[in-house]
Amino acid sequence: MEVLNGKSVFGGIAIGKISIYRKGDEQVKRYKIEDTAAELARFEAAKETAKEQLGKLYEKALAEVGEVNAMIFEVHQMMLDDLDYVEAIQNIIETQQLNAEYAVATTGDSFSEMFAAMDDDYMKARSADVKDISNRVISVLQGKNDAGLTSDEPVIVVADDLAPSETVQMDKSKVLAFVTRHGSTNSHTAILARTMNIPALIGCNYDDDMDGKNAIVDGYNGLFYVEPEHNIEEEFLKKKQADIDKKRMLQELKGKDNITLDGKKINLYANIGGVNDVGAVLQNDAGGIGLFRSEFLYLGADTFPTEEEQFNAYKQVAERMAGKKVIIRTLDIGADKQVDYFNLDKEDNPAMGYRAIRICLAQPEIFKTQLRAIIRASYYGTLSIMYPMIISVDEVRQIKEIVKEVKKELDEQGIPYGEVEQGIMIETPAAVMISDLLAKEVDFFSIGTNDLTQYTLAIDRQNPKLDNIYDSHHEAVLRMIKMVIENGHKENCWVGICGELASDTSLTKQFIQMGLDELSVSPTFILKVRETIRSIDTTK
Ligand code: PEP
Ligand code: MG
């Protein structure tokens, strides 16, 4: 038996045979061509086929893992039309009279190296994407089909690294777990694994001769057992069965109240990134949507989404939630969420830069379009609006003026709308310290512990080197949460948490004792948090 260490990106136990996933033969031949026009046409046709394949993958991912995770395939489609990339390929074919496969491979390699050398983590991650799209075009040129998993029985997929397109193309019923040598916690593949509910390890240094061997993935402890001894296998079979029983038990909590043993109730809502995540919200019986990250509508588009496009998305969510509360957060771009068509300047300190509400107040035409869409959609359900990155009372007053203007315009045009609660994210230390004043201005607060931890501890949430000291349990963060709840309640302003800390069940009791009114978590965590709430006595 061999036990390898890895870093867990999603928990769970998998037992089965290893299947080492090897990318197709990527050796590309280089040869001279005579007819450059024909070769350019061949490249163009392959590019279009690759885009069609990506379109199908997008649809598949949309149905299986939701809009946010599917978006990467739209990004890949856009990358295939990138002028610099396309012109570099055409240039090699035309000026060097070389074959399309070689032109694509060379261009893919040099773009990929260029991205990998960049300082920005987001841009670095694009390196794998360029490789992925180039390999796809090469496969089309070589007449290969879409890659898939060949094994008949479900296997533990072990790979050097997995591109999102490879992950999503695999038949989910045949994948027990993912184990990769490379990759990062925030890679798209890690995110997909989490959404697919499949145990996954990264940073695991396996040997190629392990193909076909029996193994166990312990996603809870980041361990990979190859050819496990009998007693170890028995132990993990029991753990796996316990997991299955647990999941079944959690299903029984559907329809039950979020109430503690001593009778305290709390609202349990879900976080979403788009219309297609609503299915998971309903399946897991969330009481509402506590955070709709509307920026994903902008991130998934190649130009500003129109009022009508946004209205349709918000209306659909409102209708599908059938009167349950839906809190739409206005555009929160900038920092790690960059959108090309906004043409934002490169900044030295983007997390503290021109982002979120700062953009909306400086460019009110963008803000008003979104507000009109949300307020119009409020006619079809129970919508609330929430503003990100607030640091002052003045900002809130400016926003309220703009909302008034929008409503006045809608009145003049005879367009109906419903009651809309307005709230703010509390995610800066400034907002915490003046929460007594802010509470007089709004209906609710939602604490964004992801950013609040970053700004309070002065730790960049994107920097993997600081992962071990990025501590949302820090006493400073917990005291801030308590202060916000107390200040909010003095002014009848309800208070929730929508950052990742909301699903940390080791703190649920403390949050309820502090008087928190709402927790908003990823849909998959709803029933687990409900179970915790129902098991605690806040008087003890
Ligand atoms: C937060 O900062 O806690 C939050 C919920 O917002 P985001 O993670 O989208 O910045
Ligand atoms: Mg935030």
Side-chain angles (χ1 to χ4, degrees):
M1 177 172 85
E2 221 177 311
V3 187
L4 306 178
N5 283 301
K7 186 171 179 199
S8 172
V9 293
F10 194 70
I13 308 279
I15 305 174
K17 279 205 166 53
I18 294 175
S19 170
I20 297 191
Y21 180 83
R22 293 186 181 85
K23 319 225 174 218
D25 177 16
E26 280 152 22
Q27 284 244 319
V28 167
K29 291 199 177 69
R30 174 185 187 277
Y31 54 89
K32 283 268 179 197
I33 42 124
E34 307 256 293
D35 187 347
T36 50
E39 199 64 6
L40 285 172
R42 202 164 77 84
F43 162 63
E44 190 55 34
K47 179 163 78 76
E48 288 311 306
T49 307
K51 275 165 58 189
E52 271 168 39
Q53 288 179 354
L54 287 164
K56 284 187 195 147
L57 276 178
Y58 174 81
E59 294 302 328
K60 184 173 188 288
L62 195 63
E64 291 179 359
V65 290
E67 190 178 12
V68 175
N69 297 305
M71 226 149 55
I72 184 66
F73 301 111
E74 278 196 335
V75 174
H76 280 193
Q77 279 180 314
M78 277 185 253
M79 288 172 94
L80 274 174
D81 277 331
D82 179 84
L83 264 192
D84 289 338
Y85 177 77
V86 172
E87 281 173 6
I89 294 167
Q90 290 168 335
N91 198 27
I92 295 175
I93 298 175
E94 261 172 329
T95 59
Q96 300 180 42
Q97 290 187 300
L98 289 169
N99 59 315
E101 290 89 336
Y102 179 80
V104 175
T106 312
T107 306
D109 284 349
S110 64
F111 273 63
S112 164
E113 275 164 29
M114 180 181 80
F115 281 123
M118 290 182 178
D119 285 339
D120 184 316
D121 281 345
Y122 178 82
M123 295 311 283
K124 255 196 179 67
R126 301 286 71 80
S127 165
D129 293 325
V130 180
K131 265 221 165 90
D132 197 22
I133 58 163
S134 304
N135 286 340
R136 178 172 296 282
V137 178
I138 293 168
S139 293
V140 177
L141 285 165
Q142 292 174 331
K144 288 184 193 159
N145 291 328
D146 255 3
L149 202 64
T150 48
S151 171
D152 282 336
E153 60 174 315
V155 287
I156 296 169
V157 176
V158 175
D160 209 35
D161 200 357
L162 284 168
S165 58
E166 291 169 318
T167 316
V168 86
Q169 273 176 83
M170 289 176 187
D171 181 348
K172 269 201 299 183
S173 63
K174 289 189 185 155
V175 183
L176 298 171
F178 292 123
V179 176
T180 64
R181 191 173 276 143
H182 303 293
S184 72
T185 324
N186 293 312
S187 68
H188 289 290
T189 300
I191 295 166
L192 284 169
R194 275 183 224 129
T195 319
M196 285 158 84
N197 265 313
I198 291 174
L201 305 183
I202 56 173
C204 196
N205 218 355
Y206 64 90
D207 285 331
D208 279 342
D209 67 2
M210 289 174 174
D211 203 13
K213 290 185 176 166
N214 282 327
I216 297 172
V217 177
D218 176 358
Y220 296 116
N221 299 302
L223 293 173
F224 186 38
Y225 297 79
V226 182
E227 298 196 305
E229 281 154 15
H230 184 66
N231 59 337
I232 299 278
E233 190 162 342
E234 291 278 291
E235 187 192 316
F236 276 97
L237 276 169
K238 280 193 200 130
K239 282 191 185 163
K240 196 168 153 46
Q241 188 54 46
D243 268 6
I244 294 169
D245 294 345
K246 174 104 211 202
K247 268 196 194 131
R248 197 172 301 136
M249 223 177 66
L250 284 179
Q251 293 301 307
E252 285 167 16
L253 291 174
K254 284 188 183 174
K256 302 235 163 98
D257 283 338
N258 308 306
I259 188 166
T260 63
L261 293 172
D262 55 315
K264 290 211 171 79
K265 279 195 182 175
I266 185 162
N267 287 321
L268 192 48
Y269 296 164
N271 295 349
I272 66 164
V275 179
N276 287 291
D277 296 332
V278 178
V281 174
L282 297 171
Q283 257 166 37
N284 288 287
D285 193 32
I289 290 170
L291 169 63
F292 179 168
R293 288 181 160 100
S294 71
E295 58 274 10
F296 284 108
L297 293 176
Y298 293 74
L299 286 165
D302 47 16
T303 182
F304 292 98
T306 62
E307 179 182 323
E308 237 18 63
E309 282 164 343
Q310 293 193 58
F311 166 70
N312 284 328
Y314 305 142
K315 176 171 175 268
Q316 264 192 65
V317 175
E319 285 178 339
R320 288 189 65 192
M321 289 303 290
K324 288 184 177 161
K325 196 189 281 289
V326 176
I327 302 176
I328 300 175
R329 174 174 75 184
T330 57
L331 185 59
D332 184 20
I333 60 152
D336 55 316
K337 299 174 203 147
Q338 290 291 335
V339 185
D340 279 354
Y341 55 86
F342 271 78
N343 286 325
L344 300 177
D345 292 335
K346 185 134 181 53
E347 297 178 325
D348 285 342
N349 242 327
M352 298 193 203
Y354 185 60
R355 58 173 293 196
I357 202 68
R358 298 168 188 177
I359 298 179
C360 288
L361 288 175
Q363 293 174 259
E365 65 292 347
I366 297 175
F367 194 32
K368 272 184 144 179
T369 303
Q370 179 169 38
L371 289 173
R372 270 182 70 97
I374 301 174
I375 297 172
R376 281 174 57 199
S378 69
Y379 186 68
Y380 302 88
T382 310
L383 294 192
S384 308
I385 315 181
M386 171 157 82
Y387 309 103
M389 283 294 291
I390 295 294
I391 55 164
S392 72
V393 171
D394 185 52
E395 282 170 339
V396 179
R397 293 200 177 136
Q398 283 185 58
I399 294 166
K400 281 163 58 183
E401 274 311 306
I402 298 175
V403 169
K404 255 193 214 153
E405 277 170 37
V406 168
K407 284 186 176 170
K408 191 164 164 264
E409 279 168 26
L410 291 174
D411 287 338
E412 283 164 4
Q413 293 168 337
I415 298 174
Y417 54 88
E419 282 284 313
V420 188
E421 265 193 341
Q422 292 184 77
I424 55 172
M425 301 264 314
I426 301 283
E427 50 186 349
T428 63
V432 174
M433 297 313 290
I434 59 163
S435 49
D436 55 335
L437 305 176
L438 291 167
K440 295 185 207 292
E441 303 287 332
V442 293
D443 301 308
F444 66 94
F445 287 155
S446 187
I447 307 174
T449 49
N450 308 339
D451 277 319
L452 187 59
T453 304
Q454 146 163 284
Y455 297 124
T456 304
L457 306 185
I459 292 176
D460 179 357
R461 70 191 254 198
Q462 295 285 107
N463 189 337
K465 274 198 216 113
L466 305 174
D467 253 4
N468 56 339
I469 52 167
Y470 176 95
D471 176 18
S472 295
H473 285 222
H474 194 292
E475 186 58 25
V477 177
L478 297 178
R479 283 191 198 182
M480 285 189 170
I481 294 173
K482 188 157 181 278
M483 183 175 173
V484 172
I485 297 171
E486 285 170 5
N487 282 337
H489 285 177
K490 278 184 204 147
E491 299 293 339
N492 272 333
C493 172
W494 67 263
V495 184
I497 297 181
C498 63
E500 293 302 299
L501 204 61
S503 58
D504 186 334
T505 48
S506 69
L507 290 172
T508 311
K509 182 172 173 180
Q510 211 174 326
F511 290 152
I512 299 177
Q513 284 171 332
M514 288 179 187
L516 199 75
D517 303 290
E518 178 241 23
L519 288 166
S520 191
V521 302
S522 169
T524 40
F525 291 123
I526 291 282
L527 295 173
K528 187 166 161 256
V529 177
R530 176 170 299 163
E531 182 197 33
T532 306
I533 295 168
R534 292 174 65 85
S535 72
I536 56 184
D537 182 342
T538 63
T539 61
K540 287 183 183 151

